[in-house]
């Protein structure tokens, strides 16, 4: 089984996955780099995610998606850029695979008390937002 399109390409072609379509938009990661978004900490190299010090179990795909959404500057990620950054693939107009991955990630983030949410920007893409605490 293949976890993503890059791995499938490598298996079929017998080569390494193709370079992302937008290489200048995907920053190089240093071995100790961590991405923080409020109380959420994503360790890029160790493939670990923690919310307020507690580990969050994510698949490799969910981890890559969350890393992109949480990386500064936190902004709206258009479908095309997410496909290039997460799947190492060109966007072909079918968003079902992306919507499915976002749905699984949202379920896991929803379980966190006060955790961030993945917000849909209709017709454009997704962004990560802090949950607003209810007024007392």
């Amino acid at each position: 089984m293949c976890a993503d399109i890059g791995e499938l390409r490598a298996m079929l072609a017998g080569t390494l996955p193709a370079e992302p379509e937008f290489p200048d938009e995907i920053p190089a990661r240093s071995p100790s780099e961590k991405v923080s978004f409020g109380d959420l900490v994503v360790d890029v190299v160790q493939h670990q995610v923690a919310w307020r010090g507690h580990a969050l179990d994510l698949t490799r795909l969910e981890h890559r998606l969350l890393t992109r959404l949480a990386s500064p500057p936190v902004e709206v990620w258009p479908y095309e850029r997410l496909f290039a950054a997460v799947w190492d693939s060109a966007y072909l107009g079918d968003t079902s695979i992306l919507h499915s991955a976002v749905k699984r990630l949202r379920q896991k983030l929803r379980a966190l008390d006060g955790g961030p949410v993945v917000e849909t920007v209709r017709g454009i893409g997704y962004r990560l937002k802090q949950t607003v605490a209810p007024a007392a």
Side-chain angles (χ1 to χ4, degrees):
M1 288 191 72
C2 297
D4 58 35
I5 193 76
E7 195 174 311
L8 178 62
R9 280 187 188 146
M11 284 177 49
L12 293 175
T15 62
L16 294 175
E19 288 297 314
E21 186 177 339
F22 304 103
D24 56 320
E25 295 179 7
I26 303 169
R29 302 285 183 197
S30 66
S32 63
E33 187 167 354
K34 294 181 181 181
V35 175
S36 295
F37 185 81
D39 292 332
L40 183 77
V41 178
V42 180
D43 187 324
V44 178
V45 176
Q46 296 298 317
H47 190 76
Q48 296 173 339
V49 178
W51 171 252
R52 297 181 177 160
H54 299 286
L56 181 61
D57 189 30
L58 299 179
T59 65
R60 182 172 62 172
L61 182 64
E62 293 162 350
H63 184 271
R64 290 182 74 177
L65 180 59
L66 184 59
T67 299
R68 295 301 175 218
L69 292 171
S71 294
V74 177
E75 60 189 3
V76 176
W77 277 78
Y79 303 127
E80 299 85 1
R81 286 182 59 208
L82 277 174
F83 267 87
V86 176
W87 282 271
D88 295 330
S89 176
Y91 172 67
L92 302 175
D94 181 13
T95 58
S96 60
I97 188 171
L98 178 57
H99 293 315
S100 187
V102 168
K103 180 179 178 180
R104 291 189 308 273
L105 179 60
R106 280 179 172 155
Q107 288 174 339
K108 292 179 181 182
L109 293 176
R110 209 174 287 126
L112 306 175
D113 184 33
V117 295
V118 179
E119 181 179 68
T120 300
V121 179
R122 191 172 177 179
I124 298 172
Y126 297 100
R127 74 173 144 227
L128 197 61
K129 285 189 72 172
Q130 294 285 356
T131 303
V132 178

